[in-house]
Amino acid sequence: MPVTNVSHDIDALTLTITAEFAAPRARIWQIYADPRQLEKIWGPPTYPATVVDHEFTPGGRVTYYMTGPEGDKHAGYWNIVSVDEPTGFTFTDGFADADFTPIESMPVSTNEFSFEEKDGSTIATYVSTYATAEGLQQVLDMGVVEGASQAIGQIDDLIKG
């Protein structure tokens, strides 16, 4: 499992996940920059993602839905804030309805994904910041740590293939 550390800080409103991959930073970057590769790792194995739109540039939008084991669909979106290939990117991530309209009653996170090359491997740090402690607690209760850890765990198989 590539996830090496998970921590959340209710006072700072953050969830931080660190992972290490046996691949150069440019390879890990490509997974997020390519919608077909992103689909293979964005949802946990039982909720695979389908990327609908992928405008991976500042001001762009990525829309996706995850399909559950019973065929249920759960939509979401990213609003891309900054892109610094291959060192990282920032975006807001939120829940959406079937038309990709944000669901106002659900938490939105501001995310910073950074990739550091170290001895031929990549250390990825994923930091999600929520507007409120209640929003962070809501996603923790929904299983975000387990789901994100499983999703990130799929990167190893993708980089081997």
Side-chain angles (χ1 to χ4, degrees):
M1 190 69 164
V3 172
T4 58
N5 189 53
V6 177
S7 63
H8 66 273
D9 184 331
I10 292 291
D11 294 329
L13 309 175
T14 58
L15 170 64
T16 303
I17 299 174
T18 307
E20 185 170 356
F21 305 103
R25 175 172 56 188
R27 176 66 186 105
I28 302 306
W29 172 266
Q30 188 59 37
I31 292 168
Y32 294 92
D34 177 349
R36 302 297 70 94
Q37 292 184 60
L38 181 60
E39 288 178 332
K40 296 178 188 305
I41 64 96
W42 187 244
T46 56
Y47 281 82
T50 301
V51 175
V52 178
D53 297 300
H54 190 269
E55 189 181 348
F56 197 62
T57 57
R61 193 164 198 235
V62 174
T63 58
Y64 63 90
Y65 60 87
M66 292 185 275
T67 304
E70 305 299 319
D72 47 311
K73 294 185 186 302
H74 307 273
Y77 65 90
W78 296 356
N79 288 326
I80 306 296
V81 175
S82 67
V83 175
D84 186 17
E85 182 179 352
T87 62
F89 62 102
T90 58
F91 62 100
T92 58
D93 180 23
F95 296 87
D97 65 19
D99 295 324
F100 301 110
T101 300
I103 298 173
E104 300 295 329
S105 62
M106 294 296 290
V108 174
S109 59
T110 300
N111 297 270
E112 183 175 346
F113 285 16
S114 61
F115 310 112
E116 176 187 349
E117 196 147 347
K118 183 179 176 184
D119 302 323
S121 292
T122 300
I123 307 297
T125 304
Y126 307 98
V127 180
S128 301
T129 304
Y130 292 83
T132 65
E134 294 78 20
L136 173 55
Q137 190 61 56
Q138 184 176 359
V139 297
L140 290 171
D141 293 345
M142 292 170 64
V144 70
V145 169
E146 297 80 6
S149 296
Q150 290 174 7
I152 292 166
Q154 297 171 115
I155 292 174
D156 272 352
D157 287 339
L158 186 59
I159 61 178
K160 289 176 190 170

